[in-house]
Amino acid sequence: MNNFYKITVFLSITLVLIGTTIIPIPFIPGLGDKARIIYLHVPMSWIAVLSFLLSMIYSVKYLRKRDLVDDVKAVSAAEVGFLFTILATITGSLWAKFNWGSFWNWDPRETSIFILMLIYGAYFSLRSAIENHDQKAKLASVYAIIAFVTVPFFIFIMPRIVESLHPADTIVNTQGKINMNPVMLTIFLFSLFSFTLVFFWVLNVKIRIEKLKLNRIQKNNI
Amino acid sequence: MYDFLEQNSMYLVLFIALIIWAGIFLYLNKIDRNLKKLEREEQK
């Protein structure tokens, strides 16, 4: 990553943090200042979905071309996605403590993200259980594709078909229209953009580390 | 002291969040630079 990218990332996240904490938000019944979590919590979930999607795309690419670099990209995306899923869970859990009274109470949202973490935890277990690189990559790619099929269900569908305390109409209301104060919406969209920039940087670093590891393994085998 | 912290809690949160972000940024930047060095060595 070049220096311009890094400076943009640093400044944009700094601005997001300033916007998250200092800029006043309109009073939202039942939430108050706790609504500010939306600037941090939703981008984490969005990045988790994006990285699992990338993991699935690279897995498909691996199965088509059998290039181990694609497998390295798939596992890196899944790992970064898992990290952001944990961050989404932590930010959500902190919010739940102050809004619902406890860190964890098996709300449909909490249950669905927990199952999602188990699914991707199994992906990493599967990878560590197989020693042969090609076989590992092949099986893990198939698993990553199947695992991604469950992501939209657990993040978007299940929490909406089951009765949940989780706020559902904070960004888009039930009629499908944007339902957010313009100032909040600006900060929110900027936050989504900024965290996505961070995500691509982290993913880039992770892929480069894994590529170096792969090169060393291949050199040792030759 | 408690009153001061209560009245300026958002600024306190911002201050702590900025320190954490600066730490993460510097750490990422350091990994990035070290990786560049390793990649150059690998190409030689």
Side-chain angles (χ1 to χ4, degrees):
Chain A
M1 287 288 166
N2 58 27
N3 285 342
F4 175 73
Y5 189 89
K6 288 177 188 173
I7 293 167
T8 312
V9 166
F10 182 76
L11 291 178
S12 53
I13 292 290
T14 305
L15 283 176
V16 166
L17 291 175
I18 292 170
T20 303
T21 48
I22 292 176
I23 295 177
I25 58 168
F27 178 73
I28 301 168
L31 285 174
D33 268 333
K34 283 169 274 182
R36 290 174 192 272
I37 196 77
I38 199 170
Y39 301 137
L40 303 173
H41 176 65
V42 180
M44 300 297 137
S45 307
W46 145 249
I47 290 168
V49 176
L50 178 67
S51 49
F52 291 146
L53 172 71
L54 284 177
S55 173
M56 190 269 282
I57 292 170
Y58 284 126
S59 298
V60 172
K61 260 179 107 179
Y62 171 77
L63 288 176
R64 287 182 68 182
K65 293 182 182 167
R66 299 295 159 111
D67 181 0
L68 276 175
V69 174
D70 286 326
D71 178 58
V72 156
K73 287 179 181 172
V75 67
S76 304
E79 282 178 15
V80 178
F82 195 74
L83 170 75
F84 278 92
T85 312
I86 293 171
L87 288 174
T89 312
I90 292 172
T91 48
S93 193
L94 279 172
W95 176 84
K97 171 68 183 166
F98 295 100
N99 229 54
W100 297 343
S102 77
F103 286 111
W104 199 265
N105 46 34
W106 297 107
D107 183 81
R109 275 276 172 183
E110 292 172 331
T111 313
S112 62
I113 206 156
F114 179 70
I115 297 171
L116 197 66
M117 283 201 282
L118 286 182
I119 289 172
Y120 276 91
Y123 171 75
F124 303 123
S125 305
L126 175 70
R127 291 192 70 93
S128 60
I130 306 164
E131 274 194 24
N132 181 289
H133 271 275
D134 292 310
Q135 206 182 358
K136 180 200 288 185
K138 206 170 22 175
L139 276 173
S141 299
V142 174
Y143 186 89
I145 296 165
I146 298 168
F148 183 74
V149 176
T150 66
V151 172
F153 176 75
F154 283 119
I155 290 199
F156 302 110
I157 302 168
M158 191 195 138
R160 285 186 172 82
I161 53 174
V162 186
E163 197 114 326
S164 166
L165 282 172
H166 191 280
D169 55 354
T170 40
I171 306 162
V172 179
N173 65 12
T174 42
Q175 278 88 44
K177 284 186 180 157
I178 289 174
N179 180 29
M180 200 191 245
N181 170 276
V183 177
M184 277 188 85
L185 187 66
T186 312
I187 301 172
F188 172 68
L189 292 176
F190 186 63
S191 173
L192 275 183
F193 168 75
S194 309
F195 278 106
T196 309
L197 289 183
V198 177
F199 160 69
F200 280 113
W201 188 14
V202 175
L203 184 63
N204 174 276
V205 165
K206 182 71 192 149
I207 289 174
R208 282 158 62 201
I209 293 172
E210 294 298 324
K211 268 190 192 169
L212 277 175
K213 275 189 198 166
L214 183 70
N215 280 347
R216 292 208 172 156
I217 291 169
Q218 284 173 337
K219 267 184 191 168
N220 288 341
N221 286 347
I222 295 165
Chain B
M1 182 67 182
Y2 184 79
D3 286 343
F4 173 79
L5 290 178
E6 200 178 20
Q7 280 158 15
N8 300 291
S9 54
M10 280 303 187
Y11 291 96
L12 195 66
V13 171
L14 173 64
F15 181 67
I16 295 167
L18 284 177
I19 290 174
I20 295 171
W21 165 233
I24 293 171
F25 177 82
L26 291 174
Y27 180 58
L28 255 178
N29 193 33
K30 195 182 158 195
I31 297 176
D32 197 285
R33 276 190 298 158
N34 287 350
L35 262 176
K36 252 180 213 163
K37 255 188 235 165
L38 281 171
E39 282 164 347
R40 253 182 255 138
E41 278 172 25
E42 196 87 355
Q43 278 171 354
K44 277 177 192 170

